[in-house]
Amino acid sequence: MMVPGLDFMLVTRLAVMKGRAVALQATLGIATGVAAWGIAGFFGIRTLFIAAPWLYLTLKIGGGLYLITIGAKLLINSWKKEATADATTPHAEQRSNSFFAGLLTNLANPKAPIFTSSLFAASMPQHAPIYLGLACVASMFMIAIAWFACVAMLLSLDRVSAIFLKNRRWIDRCAGITFMGLGVRFVTERTPA
């Protein structure tokens, strides 16, 4: 969880640009995605991807295209004058959208199912009871909530966010390029046979 990646970048940006409540909603979306991958990992997504490699390829390309789209929007908007849409969007709508942004960002990462299924394959006994797998998934969910909530709380502090807000355009540009770069990588990366 602590390795900076797409989820970390999303929470960081939202905490600084939109505030604590919006970043915490994204945190809940990310943790929901983590739980979904955890459940899928426990119940054998790795086996499914081996049996039907086109499913992994579909996830990888779809996730990559989603990240390219998000990155392009960030990059394009970073060159515009200060957006007024943020001021006119109701806070409830921003929080709702940030939940789905967190969820989709996590689900769009094709490395997540491979990592999760590998984690279960390496650490769980062969015939693990369902309650043990679900306990692991609950732990993953809680760790995601705890980590990203800490990130959201720290980065939404006035002193910290003031530094980031001064550099908003550059943050958006870096985030946009990173999202697009990872998206292109996911779409073009060769799938191991």
Side-chain angles (χ1 to χ4, degrees):
M1 284 300 158
M2 296 177 87
V3 175
L6 298 173
D7 297 336
F8 182 84
M9 188 172 296
L10 178 70
V11 171
T12 298
R13 185 179 180 285
L14 289 175
V16 170
M17 308 293 186
K18 307 229 183 213
R20 182 175 296 155
V22 174
L24 289 173
Q25 286 294 318
T27 295
L28 186 58
I30 290 166
T32 302
V34 166
W37 285 128
I39 289 169
F42 178 69
F43 287 106
I45 197 166
R46 181 174 180 271
T47 305
L48 180 63
F49 284 164
I50 289 169
W54 63 270
L55 284 174
Y56 176 71
L57 183 62
T58 301
L59 171 71
K60 193 172 80 131
I61 292 172
L65 292 174
Y66 170 75
L67 295 175
I68 291 168
T69 302
I70 296 299
K73 285 180 182 179
L74 284 172
L75 196 57
I76 290 167
N77 288 336
S78 75
W79 294 99
K80 294 180 180 178
K81 290 186 177 185
E82 287 297 316
T84 57
D86 289 348
T88 60
T89 305
H91 291 294
E93 185 180 328
Q94 284 181 354
R95 285 194 297 268
S96 173
N97 290 341
S98 65
F99 171 84
F100 289 110
L103 177 65
L104 289 174
T105 298
N106 187 271
L107 293 178
N109 186 350
K111 302 292 184 194
I114 302 303
F115 173 77
T116 304
S117 60
S118 299
L119 183 66
F120 277 109
S123 63
M124 296 292 278
Q126 184 175 5
H127 299 291
I130 290 177
Y131 73 84
L132 180 60
L134 294 179
C136 289
V137 171
S139 296
M140 293 167 63
F141 179 82
M142 294 310 296
I143 290 168
I145 290 281
W147 169 245
F148 289 114
C150 286
V151 170
M153 299 295 270
L154 175 66
L155 294 176
S156 63
L157 293 173
D158 289 340
R159 285 187 212 151
V160 177
S161 64
I163 293 168
F164 281 92
L165 286 173
K166 285 182 184 178
N167 300 300
R168 176 182 179 162
R169 292 180 189 275
W170 290 105
I171 291 169
D172 283 352
R173 289 172 188 159
C174 290
I177 290 168
T178 302
F179 272 60
M180 288 173 63
L182 287 170
V184 168
R185 180 177 165 207
F186 292 158
V187 169
T188 61
E189 186 177 53
R190 297 189 89 184
T191 305

